[in-house]
Amino acid sequence: MQSLEAELEEARALDTDDLADAIESIGFECTRCGACCKGEDEDDHTATVFPDEVRELEASDEYDGDYDWRDVARPMPYGLSETEDGDLEGETFEWALQTDDCGDCTFYEEDESGTGACVAHDDRPLICRTYPFSVALAGTSQPMGEAVDEEGVVRAHECEGLGRDISRADAQDLAHALKERAVRELEEAIAVRDEYAPADPDPGEVVVHDSEGAKRIDGTPLEE
């Protein structure tokens, strides 16, 4: 298996024209069905968000400073255990977009006709900008769905928007975002690895390890 550093170099060397070709070959147009923003069965919606993306959503003029870290992000649930009171505790890695009581993304809304919309669309994270596509490199979010190109680098998750016409300009925009996401995910994975130190949280406490170190659930550094 290649090192994360080697995978990062591969991500940086990705040709966006090739990525755009793959995207254009299958086609895509968002139908605003909301499937990528909703929880599934009993599982809450889970989409990785980088620390700087959390801060961008916090600081967005659209929300007039009404959001704090916990409004935007929650600890990634993997590796955490549940206390007798139903709270989570333990250590985990990275952040997920916050969810509402239904398990849907907190930024997702539907109008009376059932058409979905992201209220943070202009500031949405890279994982949302690139859905339903991903790049199959170790250290990036696990690719789901079928390979789009012959090399199997670009994958497409099941989505009703696939197979629809897409302009070359939109395919290129998506390709640039897809490459940026792959690079960012690998940079984050390397930084998390390098910054990690066991935190030994107290009972009932959650510690999140991200590229900036160990944090509490409100995003403040653990050592403060």
Side-chain angles (χ1 to χ4, degrees), residues 16-28 130-136 143-159 161-164 166 168 171 174-175 178:
T16 53
D17 283 336
D18 289 343
L19 298 180
D21 287 345
I23 293 167
E24 197 172 14
S25 71
I26 188 171
F28 172 70
T130 54
Y131 190 88
F133 298 101
S134 60
V135 171
M144 302 178 69
E146 299 297 324
V148 175
D149 55 337
E150 291 183 3
E151 293 77 17
V153 174
V154 179
R155 303 293 180 92
H157 189 279
E158 184 178 348
C159 175
L162 290 171
R164 296 170 179 262
I166 186 171
R168 182 63 183 183
L174 233 175
L178 196 58

Side-chain angles (χ1 to χ4, degrees), residues 41-201:
D41 298 325
E42 296 182 359
D43 295 327
D44 289 351
H45 175 266
T46 305
T48 306
V49 58
F50 301 128
D52 62 310
E53 292 178 324
V54 178
R55 287 189 288 268
E56 287 173 8
L57 284 164
E58 280 187 285
S60 174
D61 293 337
E62 185 174 345
Y63 316 117
D64 299 320
D66 291 336
Y67 283 5
D68 65 22
W69 188 281
R70 285 170 291 187
D71 294 320
V72 175
R74 63 190 177 97
M76 195 65 76
Y78 311 125
L80 299 179
S81 57
E82 194 170 294
T83 67
E84 292 182 357
D85 297 329
D87 298 322
L88 296 176
E89 63 180 3
E91 295 181 74
T92 189
F93 295 90
E94 300 292 359
W95 301 91
L97 285 173
Q98 187 58 271
T99 54
D100 60 20
D101 292 339
C102 297
D104 301 338
C105 178
T106 191
F107 297 106
Y108 177 72
E109 292 184 357
E110 289 184 352
D111 61 22
E112 292 181 357
S113 68
T115 301
C118 173
V119 298
H121 190 267
D122 291 343
D123 302 300
R124 67 197 189 282
L126 280 166
I127 196 168
C128 304
R129 293 178 184 272
T130 54
Y131 190 88
F133 298 101
S134 60
V135 171
L137 290 173
T140 61
S141 292
Q142 287 299 311
M144 302 178 69
E146 299 297 324
V148 175
D149 55 337
E150 291 183 3
E151 293 77 17
V153 174
V154 179
R155 303 293 180 92
H157 189 279
E158 184 178 348
C159 175
E160 72 172 35
L162 290 171
R164 296 170 179 262
D165 290 340
I166 186 171
S167 69
R168 182 63 183 183
D170 286 345
Q172 288 177 323
D173 286 344
L174 233 175
H176 282 286
L178 196 58
K179 177 176 179 177
E180 181 184 359
R181 173 185 159 196
V183 170
R184 287 293 312 279
E185 286 180 340
L186 282 155
E187 289 175 338
E188 184 80 6
I190 290 169
V192 170
R193 179 199 64 193
D194 293 345
E195 291 288 335
Y196 175 73
D200 192 24

Side-chain angles (χ1 to χ4, degrees), residues 80 83 88-91 199-207 216-217 222:
L80 299 179
T83 67
L88 296 176
E89 63 180 3
E91 295 181 74
D200 192 24
D202 294 330
E205 181 183 31
V206 172
V207 173
R216 300 181 179 89
I217 60 172
L222 187 63

